[in-house]
Amino acid sequence: MSEPWAHSGGHLLVDHLRAVAALAGGFSQTFDAAELAQRWAYLAGLWHDLGKYRPGFQKYVRLADNLDAHIEGKVGGREKTHSAAGALWAMQRLEQTHGAPGKLAAHVLAYLIAGHHSGLADWNDGLAQRLADPDSLQELQESLFASPPDDVLKPDGFTPDLRCIPGGAAGFALWVRMLFSCLVDADFLDTEAHFDAGKPARREGFPTLAQMREAFDAHMAALPVPSTPVNTLRADILRQCRAQAVLAPGFFSLTVPTGGGKTLSSLAFALEHAQAHGKRRIVYAIPYTSIIEQTADVFRNVFQALGDEVLIEHHSQADAAEKDETARSRLACENWDAPLVVTTNVQLFESLFAAKTSRCRKLHNLVGSVIVLDEAQQLPPAFLQPILDVLNLLVAHYGVTVVLCTATQPALGSTDYFDASKNLRGLHNVREIIDDPDALFAALKRVQVELPPDWTTPTPWADIAAQLSAEDCVLAIVNTRKAARELQRLMPEGTLHLSALMCGAHRKDVIAHIKVRLKAKREGRDTRPLRVVSTQLVEAGVDIDFPVVYRALAGLDSIAQAAGRCNREGRMQGKGRVVVFVPPERPPLGHLRKGADACISTLHGQAQDPQHDPQHDPLARSLFARYFTEFYHSVDLDQHRVVNLLTVQPRDLAVKFRTAADAFRLIDDADSATVVVRYAAHQEHIESLLNILAAEGPQRWLMRKLQRYTVTIPQRLATPMLNQGDLTLPMPGLYVLANADNLYSDILGLVSDADVYNPSGFAL
């Protein structure tokens, strides 16, 4: 037989193994203990496709001129599998050269190599059993019988050493995932270069961070900024961010009141810090998909002089389901090899705990980055402990700087409670960027908060609607979709509505309309009442400015975020008015209700002082540490025991990678369904995208385009809607609304059974 192939089309296997080894080794050079990491990554690349020397695979790859031929799971027949051989060879070879310690250390390589298609596995009840299977042993024997070159089978100079793992035992699982990232990205890139010679060049062309910093400075210098007290404070915040960027890498907090210009100031800090310390990229993580496009658009506007390709905008739902994965979707998945990435908390943190190849691929590109966590108080409480652990490891051992950016800083320092099981291992040495946050908050105080006279007596929706109807310009924020619909129903005609039952494009249009109306009212050109009922999706990053805001009882951080939509620009002669009320229904069970309870506990006894003494301000900065400490005590900060699942067992280096990844789900996809709606204002564009989907199948760019027109509902509702013909299912995991006329409202969004509006997981 002629030279063995790695892929159809004549991609020589030996060339592929050597190229992947070199790429993977190069990717790991930025780790702590870089020389050690480079040796492990290089060897994993050299042996990852050893099983492709099998005659059965070679016959198949030549006959099946097919991009999917090399993906296990797409390949039929036991004689065509190939990822176990390299794992078994690593264990045999290192035992031959280093005895029992070598065989144990080879478990690291076994995780990487055996998982490079199917993902990282649990050792016990998973990988150990697979490697002991006779079919896997036969795979190795057939591969060795084909006589791979000596420089592939027996490379020089490798000594297995587990003593210098970054973070020791606590850092083992992250280190393995980082090495895995190096391997799978190298494999993807070399495969991509073979099948599409022009693709690597198309990946290039992003500006450098230095160019982006220059463009940012030029943009800010050319920006016409009216001379107002708020803009003067924003300019000083920006100055401080630039000045503090020279400080040594590590953890920073940027504590700025809502409306203080955090988005651009935090970007300025990140650009300056990256330039001062040689950081490779900036990752800007946002809690909600509802505002990711807005932030990305802000950044594109800043860098418009550099062209269209200035950032990667990576949404939470952009990855294909594993069962639907194809070679095309694998090659299209993001590796975050760009200077600026705008993404969601879900995408960032689920990737850091992932087992899938497509999710892990990007991890090595987090090394040497600046990660900005926008609205840091939104870090998910049920996963807070594993998230803080991984952030500490990234900062201590992978050259990462983390910026916690919010008006309501959560209490993320180490905390000891009376019940030690609730203790929090917090972040180390977090430095505040702003010189005097208390003075800044006092200077930017633009609202007066009215608390309910009785925390236990709810106000009927009809009474709330009557109060809102008496206002000329008012925003009301409630806790659930159901509440938003109920209040909307009682309001006068013309009242606007915002919730996540409206697709992203619809919400964006309504928010733009609200901004136009607000400006016209300020200028006296619009005398019509402007009233808006919304869920809490307007509380993070939505730049709207009402004189009066009503907020249903919620967590103290939510009330503060709502207050940030009131007199945001400080244009009013006096202070804006924020009214907190007790709604007829308690917040949904879970974190929303516990946040509300912690808020009541924190504010109980707070009185409205006529002199506005800061000590009696419900939004005083000092109250937030008390609130978050109480809130975190009320929840299980590692609800799914992710920390335990990722704790390595010294005897056999066993880790439950797959089980931990399945447990670390910030959004439980199994209980939700994604529906493409037919939003009338964009109907023609939606139909053209759906036609492409029907004709060509899913493509990453296409799924991203469609995402702007999706709504998430409970799966238990999607199933009967599908059965009765209200939905179609053009591909696994993606539903399409069949009838726009009856099922999608230009005011309310998706219209269906009222039961959809109130599950705790669908509060937005």
Side-chain angles (χ1 to χ4, degrees):
M1 185 177 287
S2 61
E3 280 280 330
W5 288 2
H7 305 104
S8 57
H11 191 192
L12 295 184
L13 179 53
V14 69
D15 291 346
H16 178 59
L17 296 178
R18 290 167 179 161
V20 172
L23 277 173
F27 290 154
S28 65
Q29 286 181 339
T30 54
F31 296 8
D32 259 13
E35 186 178 351
L36 168 71
Q38 185 178 10
R39 294 198 301 268
W40 286 98
Y42 181 89
L43 204 52
L46 201 60
W47 290 344
H48 81 287
D49 270 353
L50 195 62
K52 288 187 175 181
Y53 279 101
R54 304 179 73 184
F57 181 86
Q58 286 302 311
K59 180 179 179 181
Y60 180 78
V61 79
R62 282 169 165 77
L63 292 177
D65 190 15
N66 178 350
L67 187 58
D68 289 339
H70 69 293
I71 299 183
E72 292 190 341
K74 302 288 182 181
V75 176
R78 290 179 297 178
E79 75 279 6
K80 304 180 190 73
T81 60
H82 60 270
S83 66
L88 285 168
W89 175 244
M91 296 171 70
Q92 288 189 19
R93 176 64 182 169
L94 295 191
E95 185 177 23
Q96 291 170 4
T97 54
H98 299 282
K103 183 179 181 180
L104 175 64
H107 288 194
V108 173
L109 293 171
Y111 280 123
L112 309 180
I113 296 168
H116 80 273
H117 284 299
S118 59
L120 291 168
D122 296 352
W123 183 262
N124 294 319
D125 301 320
L127 184 53
Q129 286 70 21
R130 178 187 168 197
L131 296 180
D133 187 273
D135 287 341
S136 296
L137 298 172
Q138 182 179 349
E139 180 184 317
L140 175 61
Q141 291 169 359
E142 291 180 3
S143 303
L144 295 178
F145 188 76
S147 301
D150 275 354
D151 72 316
V152 169
L153 282 182
K154 302 173 183 179
D156 296 329
F158 179 77
T159 301
D161 187 352
L162 298 175
R163 294 171 298 178
C164 299
I165 295 172
F172 179 82
L174 178 60
W175 180 68
V176 170
R177 289 197 298 277
M178 284 290 189
L179 291 175
F180 186 62
S181 170
C182 295
L183 171 63
V184 296
D185 194 26
D187 187 24
F188 281 29
L189 289 173
D190 189 62
T191 302
E192 175 183 89
H194 167 69
F195 282 109
D196 185 352
K199 188 70 176 288
R202 293 198 297 275
R203 286 188 179 275
E204 299 172 356
F206 285 107
T208 65
L209 284 175
Q211 290 172 318
M212 296 178 79
R213 178 190 172 205
E214 290 179 6
F216 180 89
D217 290 345
H219 174 84
M220 298 304 291
L223 207 60
V225 181
S227 180
T228 66
V230 169
N231 283 331
T232 300
L233 288 168
R234 287 173 179 165
D236 191 55
I237 292 165
L238 178 63
R239 178 194 61 77
Q240 292 186 59
C241 284
R242 284 173 159 159
Q244 299 285 61
V246 299
L247 295 177
F251 286 108
F252 292 89
S253 58
L254 178 58
T255 309
V256 174
T258 303
K262 292 191 303 294
T263 300
L264 290 179
S265 293
S266 60
L267 179 62
F269 175 90
L271 288 167
E272 295 283 349
H273 189 78
Q275 190 76 5
H277 299 285
K279 300 303 181 187
R280 302 191 301 162
R281 63 185 43 82
I282 297 165
V283 178
Y284 208 97
I286 298 168
Y288 301 131
T289 56
S290 59
I291 58 170
I292 188 173
E293 286 185 352
Q294 174 182 289
T295 302
D297 287 345
V298 169
F299 290 165
R300 288 192 182 97
N301 182 53
V302 169
F303 301 119
Q304 60 182 330
L306 298 177
D308 295 332
E309 296 296 326
V310 293
L311 57 85
I312 287 174
E313 182 182 335
H314 197 185
H315 291 241
S316 309
Q317 301 163 345
D319 290 315
E322 188 171 354
K323 65 180 181 298
D324 304 321
E325 195 170 12
T326 66
R328 187 181 302 277
S329 71
R330 283 164 58 90
L331 296 181
C333 80
E334 299 289 9
N335 66 351
W336 288 8
D337 189 11
L340 177 59
V341 178
V342 182
T343 190
T344 60
N345 286 351
V346 173
Q347 183 62 244
L348 173 63
F349 290 116
E350 285 193 359
S351 296
L352 278 164
F353 290 90
K356 277 180 57 177
T357 55
S358 58
R359 274 270 171 109
C360 286
R361 179 183 180 184
K362 64 180 77 73
L363 294 186
H364 72 92
N365 278 327
L366 287 175
V367 179
S369 66
V370 181
I371 298 177
V372 180
L373 297 177
D374 191 28
E375 306 297 350
Q377 80 282 354
Q378 294 284 349
L379 291 175
F383 299 95
L384 188 61
Q385 188 60 72
I387 285 174
L388 298 186
D389 287 346
V390 80
L391 290 176
N392 276 323
L393 287 168
L394 289 172
V395 168
H397 302 291
Y398 296 94
V400 172
T401 284
V402 173
V403 183
L404 306 167
C405 184
T406 178
T408 54
Q409 285 292 345
L412 297 181
S414 293
T415 306
D416 292 335
Y417 292 100
F418 181 77
D419 179 356
S421 67
K422 293 182 174 290
N423 287 354
L424 175 67
R425 288 188 307 280
L427 302 180
H428 307 316
N429 189 28
V430 180
R431 290 159 290 170
E432 175 57 51
I433 293 172
I434 300 301
D435 293 335
D436 190 348
D438 288 324
L440 178 63
F441 272 69
L444 278 173
K445 182 173 171 57
R446 291 153 294 177
V447 302
Q448 184 65 36
V449 180
E450 300 175 14
L451 299 178
D454 181 356
W455 293 105
T456 62
T457 302
T459 303
W461 286 125
D463 291 355
I464 296 298
Q467 293 178 41
L468 296 173
S469 299
E471 299 287 346
D472 176 65
C473 190
V474 63
L475 167 67
I477 304 175
V478 295
N479 291 320
T480 66
R481 300 170 174 183
K482 179 183 177 183
R485 295 274 172 115
E486 178 68 15
L487 184 55
Q488 169 79 17
R489 183 179 63 83
L490 297 169
M491 293 293 293
E493 185 178 352
T495 299
L496 300 177
H497 167 275
L498 283 167
S499 85
L501 284 171
M502 302 155 64
C503 68
H506 190 178
R507 295 193 305 265
K508 186 175 182 179
D509 287 349
V510 173
I511 290 170
H513 174 71
I514 291 170
K515 290 180 178 180
V516 169
R517 291 279 312 277
L518 285 169
K519 185 173 188 294
K521 286 188 75 63
R522 285 195 303 270
E523 296 172 354
R525 294 182 289 105
D526 187 344
T527 59
R528 297 169 297 165
L530 175 59
R531 306 180 184 103
V532 180
V533 175
S534 177
T535 61
Q536 62 264 41
L537 66 83
V538 299
E539 290 179 350
V542 179
D543 185 6
I544 52 179
D545 187 356
F546 281 82
V548 180
V549 172
Y550 275 61
R551 183 55 169 99
L553 174 63
L556 186 61
D557 55 326
S558 293
I559 293 172
Q561 292 295 330
R565 314 307 129 192
C566 183
N567 194 20
R568 184 181 180 88
E569 300 296 326
R571 295 187 179 98
M572 299 176 64
Q573 291 296 320
K575 288 183 168 56
R577 181 168 166 247
V578 175
V579 180
V580 180
F581 65 93
V582 180
E585 299 169 356
R586 296 191 68 195
L589 285 171
H591 297 137
L592 288 175
R593 182 169 297 182
K594 289 178 178 179
D597 290 343
C599 176
I600 294 173
S601 176
T602 302
L603 296 184
H604 186 70
Q606 288 283 316
Q608 294 296 327
D609 186 90
Q611 301 303 317
H612 309 319
D613 186 335
Q615 291 184 344
H616 295 280
D617 180 4
L619 300 183
R621 224 170 61 86
S622 59
L623 292 176
F624 285 96
R626 186 194 311 173
Y627 163 75
F628 278 110
T629 300
E630 180 153 348
F631 174 54
Y632 290 152
H633 181 266
S634 71
V635 300
D636 187 339
L637 301 178
D638 187 12
Q639 183 176 324
H640 301 280
R641 302 296 174 262
V642 173
V643 172
N644 290 338
L645 292 171
L646 292 176
T647 299
V648 62
Q649 304 302 312
R651 183 176 61 83
D652 53 4
L653 301 186
V655 176
K656 295 183 178 180
F657 285 108
R658 180 64 54 85
T659 302
D662 290 342
F664 196 97
R665 295 282 185 176
L666 304 190
I667 298 176
D668 190 350
D669 296 333
D671 292 334
S672 63
T674 301
V675 180
V676 178
V677 299
R678 286 181 155 90
Y679 170 43
H682 294 204
Q683 181 77 19
E684 185 175 337
H685 183 52
I686 296 170
E687 296 301 333
S688 68
L689 295 175
L690 290 173
N691 289 337
I692 296 172
L693 179 66
E696 303 178 16
Q699 302 172 64
R700 195 159 299 275
W701 70 268
L702 177 61
M703 303 313 291
R704 292 219 182 102
K705 295 284 188 183
L706 283 170
Q707 186 169 328
R708 298 183 61 230
Y709 306 107
T710 61
V711 168
T712 300
I713 62 174
Q715 183 63 53
R716 58 180 169 76
L717 188 71
T719 300
M721 290 180 70
L722 178 67
N723 293 337
Q724 65 195 27
D726 292 337
L727 300 178
T728 62
L729 189 64
M731 59 170 281
L734 185 71
Y735 296 86
V736 174
L737 194 63
N739 185 341
D741 293 337
N742 297 327
L743 298 175
Y744 195 83
S745 161
D746 283 344
I747 296 175
L748 300 176
L750 185 64
V751 178
S752 186
D753 191 303
D755 189 42
V756 68
Y757 309 131
N758 199 30
S760 61
F762 293 85
L764 293 181

